[in-house]
């Protein structure tokens, strides 16, 4: 009895399984695969409801997602396309090799494009729509930065750039023009559209670009189109948090206009991406889990017949168990090695390929190098509805370089090829360069009327023109409606307001304006309430493609949380990086889509330059227009929040961004002047600049605009209030910015009333602008010694002013220090160097030594040093104001 029971159970199991499988087969035959899938789903739910724990996997087997029998044939001429691709390969490699011959260490990359050539060429010949496309406004394409040589090589064959350009790759300042190392719209504004080479930024910018395209369509700012956003990225790049950090958004928003192509050559710079694992499977799980359509393109056509013989799934199993480090080894080894080590794992596998020679085994290609596989993947991607698609294409890094680096760990840095390697490369790709010429590594372009050149041109013409190609496609705005800003020139007439409240009111007015209103794009990362912007929720709505499918909890209130498919606010949630990506999409729409959208991105200022500085740099490179608003800014103005939140850094961090104009305004009229002029410069005069303004939450009365201050506000400095005691023996010039200007005004009053010091007060709206102007003048003077020297604006203002100079701001002292050399006498700088603290505003200003008492004390000390007043006056003032001379230095405590 005991011995028969298990056998009975096993038999029973087998019978049961057969019955289930038979039933499934029946449904498959009678109802088809969709019905089977539905049935299995129902079964899964049922099992789970009854406590069955089912294993979860978001991975599929290590084979192509699109089976061979579902493939379509490729249109066009595969032979000509192969020839073109070879020519592109040759010229791409030649330009890097030649650049490094001409100038040792100039750099460049051969192996990234070598692995991605097919991925790009199939796109260029069949999928990438140019801006002149009849069907829409063209695709948005983020090219992998290190693949730039291949993109240039194609543009050369297309006749868009010439040999001098190629010759001057990475030597941009040479006569005749050169080519930038990577995609930089700043450097090549007619060519590159989107910067990508800071890894991870391309993917996140692509995601928000795709969403912004829908936003423009849903709001009626551009017609609906089938245009796609393509982002080409490296598998190593996927380790950057920005690369995968936002991938749930496009799935949630059903962005089927977005296609990621990950070039999975399994290598990054130093070595394998996942030597001990499988990056493709890992990425598949991540993307599938996030809701993407995942298409794996792993194996080339030579594998199809072998896989067809794999009835028992042995080969699929073997493919799935080999780790990436080992696959890389197969790529560099001989066919005999591959036979022994890959196929040799099982005699039945060996049997499957016994009809193939070692050479044939070696030549079994990977999916990412096989045009038909890539074509089918792209076709499926562009046709997919309801979700974004990621194509995981397996390739070999340095493909075609042979001994010069194919698949090797050093290949990323490969910039040189010796004659022998060049000869082999030439022969492999059939480039008509003779042995005698090979040492010169000549560029090669077939005649204008050759089949290849004609084919390229025809294909691009059919697809709407050359890509990449950057063109400003919007018309400038006629004028900025000045009425919008006039109320702010008057001041608040006794009422208190913060600069944030002023800005929000201004924004609300702009949104209501007939001309400007629809172009304004307010962007906020979950801080609208912090900035008092909730009234805008109701006024213009929060953008949501799906509209609002629920009844908001605050529906019965005036300012309810209104989501709408034509909503105007981009409420991004807690992602400064995502919001900044939206800012870039909106701020470059004047070129990408021919729409002059004006983004206003308001955020917690400490989480701007400090956190997403590299995206701000990318925005600058992209020639983004718009306004960044650092809210709740100032180290001492934001009370309570402490070390992580209080920003005394951002204005300094903004200095290096060459086309960013930064302001730290104090008053409503300053903001009005700056924004009005900013819109004029960016959208009427079309300058490639953008703005950074800090706005605060401290409330005070906003004064009326002093006569004649407009020019100074924009240049960075104007006299806000002259002293009532111009003839006093002791004089001072006090400089204040932002919220600290008020402390300086208070200090002026105290100095006059208590110490008889005649102090003028200046508002410094922008140290950065003064600094730039000073250097520009200095540079010009160096270059033009014979001509009358130019005088920096700050010197013009201050050269004749009497007295000591004292500056205070809510930012680090490096800001006032940066203009010191253009002043008639040295400046005493008060600022907020050091870590923030949780304290009241008054407590913080005492701690950081920037309140009016410290301004008074610093002024008196400077006057005493100059012999204008007696030292005892300073000692007495310190006592009066309770200032301890031995107080620890806040900059280091
Ligand atoms: C943010 C950032 N960090 C580092 C680099 C330097 N870098 C350039 S290419 C590269 C390796 C790229 O590997 P992968 O993404 O796999 O691209 P592949 O060249 O293999 O296609 C690195 C580390 C960079 N460009 N950006
Ligand atoms: Mg890689």
């Amino acid at each position: 009895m005991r011995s028969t029971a298990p056998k009975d159970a096993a038999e029973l199991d087998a019978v049961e399984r057969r019955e289930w499988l038979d039933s499934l087969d029946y449904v498959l035959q009678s109802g088809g695969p969709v019905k089977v899938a539905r049935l299995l789903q129902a079964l899964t739910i049922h099992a789970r409801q009854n406590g069955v724990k089912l294993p979860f996997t978001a991975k599929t087997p290590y084979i192509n997602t699109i089976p061979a029998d579902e493939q379509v044939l490729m249109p066009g001429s595969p032979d000509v396309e192969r020839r073109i691709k070879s020519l592109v390969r040759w010229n791409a490699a030649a330009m890097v090799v030649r650049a490094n011959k001409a100038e040792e260490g100039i750099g460049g990359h051969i192996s990234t494009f070598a692995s991605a050539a097919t991925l790009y060429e199939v796109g260029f010949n069949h999928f990438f729509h140019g801006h002149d496309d009849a069907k829409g406004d063209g695709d948005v394409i983020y090219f992998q930065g290190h693949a730039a040589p291949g993109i240039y090589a194609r543009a050369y064959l297309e006749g868009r750039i010439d040999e001098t350009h190629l010759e001057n790759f990475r030597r941009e300042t040479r006569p005749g023009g050169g080519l930038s190392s990577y995609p930089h719209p700043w450097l090549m504004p007619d060519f590159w559209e989107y910067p990508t080479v800071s890894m991870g930024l391309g993917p996140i910018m692509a995601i928000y670009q795709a969403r912004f395209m829908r936003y423009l369509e849903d709001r009626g700012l551009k017609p609906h189109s089938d245009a796609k956003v393509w982002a080409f990225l490296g598998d190593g790049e996927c380790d950057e948090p920005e690369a995968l950090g936002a991938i749930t958004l496009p799935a949630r928003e059903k962005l089927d206009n977005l296609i990621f192509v990950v070039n999975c050559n399994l290598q990054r710079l130093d070595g394998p991406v996942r030597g001990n694992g499988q990056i493709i499977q890992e990425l598949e799980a991540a993307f599938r889990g996030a809701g993407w359509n995942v298409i794996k393109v792993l194996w080339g056509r030579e594998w199809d017949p072998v896989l067809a013989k794999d009835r028992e799934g042995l080969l699929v199993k073997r493919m799935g168990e080999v780790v990436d480090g080992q696959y890389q080894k197969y790529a560099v080894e001989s066919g005999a090695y591959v036979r022994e080590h890959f196929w040799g794992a099982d005699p039945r596998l060996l049997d499957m390929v016994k009809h193939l020679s070692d050479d044939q085994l070696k030549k079994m290609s990977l999916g990412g190098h096989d045009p038909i596989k890539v074509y089918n993947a792209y076709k499926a991607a562009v046709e997919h509805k309801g979700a974004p698609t990621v194509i995981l294409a397996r390739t070999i890094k340095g493909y075609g370089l042979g001994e010069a680096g194919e698949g090797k760990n050093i290949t990323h840095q490969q910039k040189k090829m010796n004659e022998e390697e060049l000869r082999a490369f030439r022969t492999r790709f059939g480039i008509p360069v003779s042995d005698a010429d090979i040492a010169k590594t000549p560029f090669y372009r077939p005649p204008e009327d050759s089949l290849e050149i004609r084919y390229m041109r025809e294909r691009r013409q059919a697809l709407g023109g050359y890509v990449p190609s950057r063109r400003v496609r919007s018309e400038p705005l006629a004028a900025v409606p000045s009425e919008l800003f006039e109320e702010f020139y008057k001041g608040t007439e006794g009422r208190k307001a913060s600069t944030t409240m002023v800005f929000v009111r201004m924004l609300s007015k702009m949104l209501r304006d007939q001309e400007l209103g629809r172009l304004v794009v307010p962007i906020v990362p979950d801080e609208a309430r912090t900035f008092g912007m909730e009234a805008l929720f109701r006024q213009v709505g929060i953008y949501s493609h799906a509209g609002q499918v629920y009844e908001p909890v605050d529906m019965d209130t005036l300012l309810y949380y209104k989501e709408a498919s034509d909503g105007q606010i981009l409420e991004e949630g807690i992602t400064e990086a995502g919001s900044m990506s939206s800012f870039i999409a909106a701020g470059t729409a004047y070129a990408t889509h021919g729409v002059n959208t004006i983004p206003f991105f308001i955020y917690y200022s400490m989480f701007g330059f400090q956190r997403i500085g590299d995206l701000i740099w990318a925005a600058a490179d992209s020639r983004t227009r718009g306004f960044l608003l650092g809210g709740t800014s100032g180290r001492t103005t934001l009370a309570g929040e402490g070390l992580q939140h209080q920003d005394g850094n951002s204005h300094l961090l903004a200095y290096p961004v060459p086309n960013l104009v930064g302001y730290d305004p104090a008053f409503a009229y300053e903001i009005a002047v700056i924004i009005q002029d900013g819109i004029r410069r960016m959208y009427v005069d079309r300058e490639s600049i953008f703005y950074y303004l800090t706005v605060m939450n401290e409330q005070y009365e906003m004064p009326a605009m002093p006569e004649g201050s407009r020019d100074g506000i924009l240049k960075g400095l104007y006299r806000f209030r002259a002293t009532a005691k111009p003839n006093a023996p002791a004089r001072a010039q006090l400089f204040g910015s932002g919220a600290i200007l008020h402390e300086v005004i208070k200090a002026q009053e105290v100095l006059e009333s208590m110490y008889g010091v005649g102090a003028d007060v200046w508002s410094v709206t922008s140290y950065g602008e003064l600094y730039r102007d000073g250097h520009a003048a200095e540079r010009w003077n160096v270059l033009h010694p014979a001509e009358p020297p130019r005088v920096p604006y700050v010197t013009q203002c201050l050269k004749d002013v009497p007295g000591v100079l004292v500056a205070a701001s809510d930012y680090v002292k490096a800001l006032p220090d940066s203009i010191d050399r253009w002043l008639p006498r040295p400046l005493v700088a008060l600022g907020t160097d050091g870590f923030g603290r949780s304290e009241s505003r008054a407590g913080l200003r005492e701690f950081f030594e920037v309140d009016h008492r410290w301004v008074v004390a610093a002024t008196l000390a400077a006057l005493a040093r100059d012999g204008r007043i007696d030292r005892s006056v300073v000692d007495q003032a310190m006592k009066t104001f309770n200032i301890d001379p031995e107080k620890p230095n806040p900059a280091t405590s």
Side-chain angles (χ1 to χ4, degrees):
M1 286 294 280
R2 286 185 92 225
S3 61
T4 55
K7 194 173 159 224
D8 285 351
E11 263 173 24
L12 212 60
D13 270 359
V15 171
E16 217 165 34
R17 188 176 311 132
R18 204 173 314 122
E19 279 174 4
W20 276 82
L21 292 176
D22 285 348
S23 316
L24 199 78
D25 283 346
Y26 171 76
V27 182
L28 188 60
Q29 273 154 25
S30 59
V34 175
K35 196 164 175 196
V36 171
R38 241 186 274 134
L39 197 64
L40 287 176
Q41 204 175 14
L43 275 177
T44 310
I45 293 168
H46 191 72
R48 284 223 172 93
Q49 273 171 339
N50 288 287
V52 179
K53 301 256 181 300
L54 295 172
F56 169 77
T57 176
K59 296 176 193 166
T60 60
Y62 202 74
I63 50 172
N64 294 345
T65 305
I66 302 172
D69 56 9
E70 284 179 20
Q71 264 172 214
V72 297
L73 288 177
M74 238 176 120
S77 166
D79 281 349
V80 181
E81 289 185 20
R82 189 178 180 282
R83 290 271 317 133
I84 294 168
K85 186 166 63 184
S86 296
L87 295 171
V88 178
R89 281 181 188 286
W90 171 262
N91 288 304
M95 68 191 286
V96 177
V97 170
R98 279 173 64 154
N100 283 276
K101 244 187 224 165
E103 187 130 353
E104 180 75 28
I106 202 84
H109 299 83
I110 304 175
S111 66
T112 298
F113 178 73
S115 66
T118 303
L119 301 178
Y120 287 117
E121 280 301 308
V122 171
F124 280 121
N125 286 322
H126 301 281
F127 291 95
F128 298 162
H129 289 272
H131 291 310
D132 299 325
D133 197 72
K135 274 190 260 155
D137 55 2
D139 289 349
V140 172
I141 307 168
Y142 293 80
F143 293 97
Q144 201 185 344
H146 293 76
I151 314 305
Y152 290 137
R154 177 170 242 272
Y156 164 66
L157 292 171
E158 289 166 343
R160 301 203 287 146
I161 54 179
D162 61 28
E163 279 208 20
T164 314
H165 292 112
L166 292 201
E167 187 65 34
N168 288 338
F169 171 55
R170 289 191 168 225
R171 297 185 302 164
E172 299 179 70
T173 62
R174 300 296 152 114
L179 298 172
S180 65
S181 49
Y182 302 114
H184 295 301
W186 186 262
L187 302 173
M188 294 177 62
D190 302 325
F191 192 85
W192 293 115
E193 302 181 270
Y194 314 101
T196 47
V197 81
S198 179
M199 312 225 127
L201 302 192
I204 192 168
M205 288 191 289
I207 286 173
Y208 284 85
Q209 177 72 260
R211 210 272 307 256
F212 191 71
M213 278 163 69
R214 288 278 182 269
Y215 170 91
L216 290 178
E217 290 166 5
D218 286 344
R219 287 198 47 224
L221 288 167
K222 90 179 204 30
H224 180 84
S225 91
D226 287 333
K228 304 286 175 195
V229 176
W230 300 80
F232 286 82
L233 50 148
D235 46 0
E237 182 173 9
C238 292
D239 282 338
E240 288 288 358
E242 291 89 346
L244 300 195
I247 61 170
T248 53
L249 174 121
R252 192 164 62 240
E253 303 255 332
K254 303 186 172 52
L255 297 180
D256 48 22
N257 58 346
L258 179 64
I259 299 167
F260 271 21
V261 181
V262 188
N263 175 15
C264 297
N265 51 29
L266 315 186
Q267 284 178 250
R268 43 183 165 73
L269 194 153
D270 285 340
V273 180
R274 296 284 185 274
N276 296 309
Q278 293 177 319
I279 184 63
I280 292 175
Q281 297 298 86
E282 187 180 320
L283 290 174
E284 175 181 33
F287 279 99
R288 201 181 290 283
W292 289 53
N293 174 40
V294 181
I295 302 177
K296 291 196 287 194
V297 187
L298 308 185
W299 309 102
R301 64 190 78 181
E302 299 82 0
W303 294 80
D304 291 338
V306 192
L307 273 164
K309 286 196 270 181
D310 184 36
R311 299 232 164 69
E312 291 170 81
L314 284 175
L315 177 55
V316 173
K317 179 171 165 290
R318 179 70 185 138
M319 286 166 158
E321 70 195 12
V322 175
V323 294
D324 289 357
Q326 199 59 46
Y327 270 128
Q328 192 189 339
K329 176 80 172 152
Y330 298 145
V332 300
E333 283 293 347
S334 66
Y337 181 97
V338 176
R339 188 187 301 279
E340 182 185 344
H341 293 270
F342 178 78
W343 300 98
D346 188 310
R348 288 169 294 179
L349 286 174
L350 276 177
D351 200 46
M352 282 184 194
V353 290
K354 64 172 189 286
H355 61 294
L356 299 176
S357 68
D358 285 351
D359 196 41
Q360 284 171 313
L361 278 194
K362 174 77 187 163
K363 285 195 175 138
M364 288 175 77
S365 65
L366 295 181
H369 297 306
D370 188 344
I372 185 112
K373 302 290 179 193
V374 174
Y375 176 85
N376 275 276
Y378 286 4
K379 183 169 182 296
V382 296
E383 288 170 2
H384 191 77
K385 293 276 174 267
T389 294
V390 59
I391 291 164
L392 303 172
R394 222 187 117 193
T395 62
I396 292 173
K397 192 147 177 168
Y399 183 74
L401 296 184
E403 282 307 303
E406 181 168 298
K408 295 183 178 164
N409 278 338
I410 48 88
T411 194
H412 187 85
Q413 303 293 66
Q414 185 70 27
K415 303 168 197 330
K416 294 181 183 166
M417 292 170 84
N418 63 31
E419 271 186 49
E420 198 182 321
E421 290 161 346
L422 281 169
R423 246 196 316 273
F425 190 72
R426 178 236 21 214
T427 308
R428 174 160 180 182
F429 293 108
I431 310 297
V433 171
S434 70
D435 279 356
D437 285 342
I438 203 86
K440 287 189 264 161
T441 332
F443 300 123
Y444 177 73
R445 184 169 186 268
E448 206 55 42
D449 60 353
S450 63
L451 200 54
E452 292 90 341
I453 301 294
R454 284 201 336 259
Y455 188 92
M456 285 177 108
R457 292 232 162 108
E458 277 160 21
R459 289 310 306 148
R460 287 316 317 158
Q461 210 174 359
L463 286 162
Y466 295 118
V467 287
S469 169
R470 186 179 178 279
R471 223 181 300 156
V472 173
R473 298 188 299 144
S474 61
E475 290 301 315
L477 296 188
V480 190
S482 58
E483 336 63 84
L484 285 180
F485 301 93
E486 268 155 21
E487 80 164 78
F488 302 98
Y489 300 154
K490 292 196 210 101
T492 45
E493 293 163 343
R495 273 176 301 112
K496 287 184 171 182
S498 68
T499 46
T500 307
M501 290 158 72
V502 168
F503 163 70
V504 172
R505 180 163 170 77
M506 214 176 289
L507 181 64
S508 162
K509 281 189 85 169
M510 284 187 276
L511 283 162
R512 282 201 193 94
D513 184 76
Q514 282 273 314
E515 299 288 307
L516 221 54
R518 56 194 206 100
L519 301 176
V520 170
V521 181
I523 303 169
V524 58
D526 199 34
E527 297 282 2
R529 291 182 202 279
T530 314
F531 305 128
M533 289 170 69
E534 56 270 43
L536 297 183
F537 290 167
R538 181 64 200 280
Q539 185 187 328
V540 293
I542 294 163
Y543 172 67
S544 154
H545 180 69
Q548 190 157 38
V549 297
Y550 62 96
E551 188 184 337
V553 63
D554 49 3
M555 187 71 178
D556 53 350
T557 65
L558 196 61
L559 306 178
Y560 78 96
Y561 196 84
K562 180 184 162 197
E563 298 194 61
S565 59
D566 62 351
Q568 199 159 349
I569 301 171
L570 288 174
E571 160 70 85
E572 300 294 16
I574 310 169
T575 167
E576 284 75 15
S579 307
M580 190 63 206
S581 301
S582 279
F583 180 80
I584 295 170
T588 52
Y590 68 92
T592 313
H593 305 292
V595 184
N596 282 314
T597 39
I598 309 173
F600 289 87
F601 168 27
I602 183 161
Y603 56 89
Y604 231 119
S605 84
M606 193 62 159
F607 303 125
F609 285 84
Q610 182 137 312
R611 177 151 188 148
I612 50 158
D614 204 17
L615 273 164
I616 296 176
W617 190 249
D621 186 353
S622 308
R623 297 169 174 264
T624 305
R625 295 173 185 158
F627 295 90
L628 298 173
L629 291 123
T632 54
S633 72
R635 189 95 79 207
T636 69
T637 305
L638 176 61
E641 291 287 354
L643 182 151
Q644 183 59 68
H645 288 67
Q646 292 159 349
D647 170 32
N649 310 348
S650 64
H651 277 293
L652 183 62
L653 298 177
Y655 262 47
V657 184
N659 52 348
L660 182 80
V661 190
Y663 288 103
D664 183 16
F667 298 131
Y669 64 82
E670 292 181 351
I671 299 179
V673 165
I674 293 164
I675 291 186
Q676 185 183 353
D677 195 60
I679 298 176
R680 177 191 65 77
R681 285 182 67 183
M682 293 186 285
Y683 293 91
V684 179
D685 294 351
R686 304 212 275 189
E687 287 186 56
S688 288
I689 53 174
F690 64 131
Y691 279 70
Y692 176 52
L693 273 73
T694 38
V695 287
M696 278 77 62
N697 58 358
E698 182 176 2
Q699 298 190 19
Y700 43 80
E701 187 190 338
M702 296 289 158
M705 180 165 158
E707 196 77 19
S709 57
R710 197 188 130 80
D711 194 42
I713 292 170
L714 295 172
K715 286 185 169 153
L717 175 76
Y718 67 96
R719 181 157 37 206
F720 172 70
R721 186 176 288 166
T723 177
K725 295 188 170 171
N727 300 320
R731 291 292 316 270
Q733 307 298 322
L734 308 181
F735 305 94
S737 309
I740 298 299
L741 181 53
H742 254 275
E743 298 289 343
V744 172
I745 294 168
K746 230 188 284 178
Q748 178 195 37
E749 288 155 12
V750 172
L751 281 165
E752 284 184 4
S753 62
M754 290 175 66
Y755 300 98
V757 175
D760 295 332
V761 171
W762 299 76
S763 173
V764 186
T765 49
S766 178
Y767 281 106
E769 287 302 285
L770 297 178
Y771 171 81
R772 283 180 185 164
D773 172 75
H775 270 295
E778 204 168 277
R779 176 180 176 275
W780 193 90
N781 293 342
V782 167
L783 296 172
H784 304 87
E787 296 182 51
R790 284 191 183 165
V791 182
Y793 171 72
V794 62
T795 313
Q796 290 173 33
C797 293
L798 301 174
K799 64 179 187 313
D800 297 326
V801 296
V804 297
L805 312 174
V806 179
S809 86
D810 224 358
Y811 290 84
V812 289
K813 294 171 187 171
L815 296 179
D817 284 351
S818 74
I819 60 157
D820 183 72
R821 69 211 272 179
W822 299 298
L823 304 182
R825 292 173 294 285
L827 182 67
V828 177
L830 304 181
T832 59
D833 299 55
F835 284 120
R837 287 286 189 288
S838 303
E839 248 309 340
S840 67
R841 199 169 279 148
L844 286 166
R845 289 183 182 163
E846 149 72 10
F847 178 79
F848 282 105
E849 307 169 0
V850 291
D851 65 17
H852 72 279
R853 301 168 314 138
W854 288 83
V855 177
V856 169
T859 308
L860 293 176
L863 285 167
R865 208 154 292 135
D866 283 359
R868 295 283 174 177
I869 59 169
D870 197 80
R871 275 265 308 283
S872 62
V873 179
V874 189
D875 296 341
Q876 189 52 46
M878 301 272 245
K879 286 201 187 86
T880 309
F881 294 123
N882 224 354
I883 291 174
D884 172 10
E886 302 313 320
K887 178 177 171 291
N889 183 353
T892 49
S893 51

